[in-house]
């Protein structure tokens, strides 16, 4: 299965940084967010990755390419031990890039994968979302696809107060954490929301979605919404939502990024002790006086 990773958005929730720097390259410890996304795809068995980039996003392409100058520099300056850190990256998978010439929405970005993907089921993962679980979330969705033969959307319950920030699913439970989808609605008001089951950003999709995206009119915020095309898909083919096991980190806004950074640092054996000590000090010095 191939994966499409849209990473061409403007990242307005992270301005001013994103004026000149892609949010998908925001570091979590020592590697960019999109590196973790690719790692999850690879651990799920995917070896063909199409990344949708846009203006100012060429450093994503550079990151997954070889860097002969840097390799040479490390080799001749006694830093050979660092070489695997950078040489492994381009070998993780077969990387392909396509440009979205203006940020017309997630649906438009996914639609650009049509020629590369062809007439097969494929995966979509967001370039600014990291998930952590014993079995990679994409692998969990691929297994559900194997069992059901349908499209599968990763979802989580977000609580009624947050439904207006997400695509929301309506359907009936047909198994453990498995919902047969009747319809989907993008960012509904609390009154309109059919549930609090929210789309999180990992999908296994039927190629029919490409045809549907072509005829999807701009929706919320004037963007081509993937959720609108998925709603149409659910009227034509089997679409399931799956409450995956694991934790999702939205690194696309400042609070989400800060929390992810702290949690990953605490869990990292290289930095955890230091950071925990530091956090305890900060709580004493700063948090208590707030
Ligand atoms: P987001 O909605 O989080 O990205 O899309 P955004 O539009 O850049 O963010 P804000 O709301 O302005 O802060 C999820 C993923 O889809 C990509 C983004 O790069 C992100 O990784 N995306 C979004 C595209 O590739 N193209 C688009 O037109 C929109």
């Amino acid at each position: 299965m191939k994966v499409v990773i849209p990473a061409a958005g403007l990242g307005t929730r992270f301005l001013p940084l994103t004026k000149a720097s892609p949010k998908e390259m925001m570091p979590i410890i020592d590697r960019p967010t999109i590196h973790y996304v690719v790692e999850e795809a690879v651990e799920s068995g995917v070896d063909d990755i199409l990344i949708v980039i846009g203006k100012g996003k060429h450093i994503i392409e550079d990151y997954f390419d070889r860097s002969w100058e840097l390799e040479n520099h490390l080799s001749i300056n006694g830093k050979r031990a660092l070489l695997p850190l950078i040489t492994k990256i381009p070998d993780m998978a077969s990387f392909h890039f396509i440009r979205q010439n203006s940020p017309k929405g997630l649906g438009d970005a996914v639609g650009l994968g049509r020629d590369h993907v062809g007439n097969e089921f494929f995966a979509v993962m967001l370039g600014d979302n990291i998930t952590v679980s014993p079995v990679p979330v994409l692998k969990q969705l691929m297994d559900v696809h194997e069992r059901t033969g349908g499209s599968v959307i990763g979802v989580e319950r977000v609580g009624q107060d947050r439904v207006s920030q997400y695509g929301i699913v309506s359907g009936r439970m047909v198994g453990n954490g498995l919902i047969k989808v009747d319809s989907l609605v993008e960012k509904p008001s609390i009154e309109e929301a059919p549930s609090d089951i929210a789309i999180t950003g990992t999908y296994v999709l039927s190629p029919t979605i490409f045809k549907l995206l072509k005829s999807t009119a701009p929706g919320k915020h004037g963007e081509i919404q993937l959720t609108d095309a998925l709603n149409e898909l659910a009227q034509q083919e089997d679409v399931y939502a799956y409450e995956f096991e694991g934790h999702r980190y939205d690194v696309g806004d400042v609070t989400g990024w800060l929390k992810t950074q702290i949690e990953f640092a605490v869990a990292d054996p290289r930095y955890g002790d230091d950071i925990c000590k530091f956090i305890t000090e900060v709580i004493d010095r700063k948090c208590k006086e707030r």
Side-chain angles (χ1 to χ4, degrees):
M1 190 176 284
K2 294 175 179 171
V3 64
V4 176
I5 304 180
L10 292 178
T12 54
R13 287 169 297 158
F14 228 124
L15 282 169
L17 176 111
T18 41
K19 181 167 179 274
S21 181
K23 65 174 170 178
E24 294 80 7
M25 291 298 288
M26 285 299 287
I28 302 296
I29 306 188
D30 56 1
R31 55 204 67 194
T33 300
I34 196 165
H35 182 120
Y36 293 88
V37 179
V38 165
E39 233 165 32
E40 182 188 329
V42 171
E43 283 163 11
S44 302
V46 171
D47 61 2
D48 186 300
I49 294 176
L50 176 70
I51 302 181
V52 184
I53 53 172
K55 193 170 183 297
K57 304 261 186 169
H58 55 274
I59 63 166
I60 298 178
E61 211 171 343
D62 289 346
Y63 183 80
F64 289 107
D65 195 5
R66 286 196 73 167
S67 174
W68 293 102
E69 306 88 331
L70 184 56
E71 285 176 32
N72 201 26
H73 173 86
L74 296 177
S75 301
I76 60 177
N77 285 289
K79 295 184 178 170
R80 293 192 74 87
L82 296 177
L83 268 175
L85 283 179
I86 60 161
T87 53
K88 272 195 226 155
I89 297 169
D91 292 338
M92 288 167 83
S94 167
F95 290 100
H96 308 269
F97 298 88
I98 191 162
R99 239 176 124 96
Q100 187 185 26
N101 54 25
S102 75
K104 289 184 281 234
L106 178 59
D108 181 68
V110 170
L112 293 171
R114 181 188 181 123
D115 288 345
H116 184 79
V117 168
N119 197 30
E120 283 170 16
F121 275 81
F122 68 106
V124 173
M125 299 168 87
L126 301 187
D128 62 352
N129 266 243
I130 299 176
T131 49
V132 175
S133 62
V135 177
V137 171
L138 177 59
K139 178 75 174 63
Q140 294 178 43
L141 302 195
M142 287 161 84
D143 290 345
V144 174
H145 164 68
E146 280 279 302
R147 280 201 329 261
T148 61
S151 296
V152 190
I153 304 169
V155 292
E156 66 184 11
R157 289 180 191 267
V158 292
Q160 285 298 332
D161 53 322
R162 290 169 67 213
V163 287
S164 58
Q165 298 166 30
Y166 293 89
I168 298 292
V169 165
S170 165
R172 67 194 152 85
M173 275 312 223
V174 291
N176 194 8
L178 189 63
I179 298 145
K180 176 80 181 14
V181 176
D182 297 327
S183 63
L184 300 111
V185 52
E186 181 64 19
K187 300 191 174 75
S189 64
I190 295 180
E191 298 74 40
E192 285 166 347
S195 74
D196 70 339
I197 303 170
I199 302 175
T200 57
T202 312
Y203 313 75
V204 171
L205 298 178
S206 151
T208 307
I209 199 77
F210 292 125
K211 196 179 76 204
L212 297 173
L213 280 166
K214 277 205 148 184
S215 55
T216 301
K220 282 255 154 83
H221 310 308
E223 295 183 343
I224 312 273
Q225 297 290 349
L226 180 59
T227 307
D228 292 344
L230 286 173
N231 183 43
E232 200 48 45
L233 185 68
Q235 314 312 313
Q236 301 185 12
E237 294 181 4
D238 286 348
V239 176
Y240 294 89
Y242 185 61
E243 291 181 64
F244 56 81
E245 277 173 41
H247 191 79
R248 184 179 67 91
Y249 299 87
D250 181 358
V251 189
D253 67 28
V254 178
T255 317
W257 175 72
L258 286 170
K259 287 180 180 171
T260 312
Q261 187 78 288
I262 293 168
E263 208 169 313
F264 274 54
V266 166
D268 191 313
R270 295 169 298 174
Y271 308 108
D273 288 349
D274 249 15
I275 297 299
C276 283
K277 215 167 114 210
F278 176 70
I279 291 171
T280 318
E281 269 171 42
V282 172
I283 290 170
D284 276 349
R285 265 190 298 126
K286 295 281 178 195
C287 298
K288 286 189 180 158
E289 70 193 36
R290 287 174 59 82

